[in-house]
Amino acid sequence: MKLFIVVVGIFLTACTSLPDVKKIPKKNLTHEIHFVYEKWHTSIIIPAASVEKHSRYFNEIAKQKQYIRFGYGDGDFFTGKNKSFFSGAKALVASDYSAVQVLDYYSNPLEEIPEETRVPLFISEKRMKKLIRYMDKSIALNKKRLPISLKA
């Protein structure tokens, strides 16, 4: 039994660390994106050129920018209408409505984001297009087929 626990422990330690990014094979993985987490919130940072190329709704925002950051979450929390602890807890289990937070950057935001809160991911051109089209499909549109903006 002790041997079993030791063996399982060794295998589990192999699962708890990130691989060396430089050693990941990058064949056909032409795009680097970043998964970012801050407390209870997660987001993804994508090069703006890819968003401009593939998005139907965010391509104008992406023009002349370096990166676009997308985060999904509670509408009241993102707009600042209610940032209380209760609102944050409610957003985890029973949000009244969700929203996509879109931030654009003229410079590289990764220089300001702590390295321990972000993970680089490498994807192909085909997957990048699918990811951006997924985000396009995840937003509500108004009668003119434009994204609905939630003002603060």
Side-chain angles (χ1 to χ4, degrees), residues 82-150:
N82 192 345
K83 288 197 168 209
S84 68
F85 175 79
F86 176 75
S87 175
K90 182 180 176 217
L92 288 173
V93 293
S95 176
D96 291 329
Y97 63 104
S98 60
V100 178
Q101 181 184 51
V102 182
L103 304 172
D104 55 348
Y105 296 95
Y106 286 102
S107 60
N108 188 346
L110 301 174
E111 296 169 359
E112 303 296 322
I113 299 170
E115 193 171 333
E116 64 274 6
T117 65
R118 57 185 163 89
V119 178
L121 303 170
F122 298 90
I123 61 174
S124 67
E125 175 69 18
K126 179 180 176 182
R127 294 296 176 199
M128 175 65 83
K129 182 178 179 179
K130 285 186 173 210
L131 172 63
I132 293 170
R133 292 290 168 89
Y134 173 83
M135 287 185 280
D136 276 354
K137 291 176 183 177
S138 72
I139 58 172
L141 303 175
N142 64 18
K143 291 178 184 177
K144 294 180 182 180
R145 307 277 308 145
L146 297 171
I148 297 171
S149 178
L150 302 176

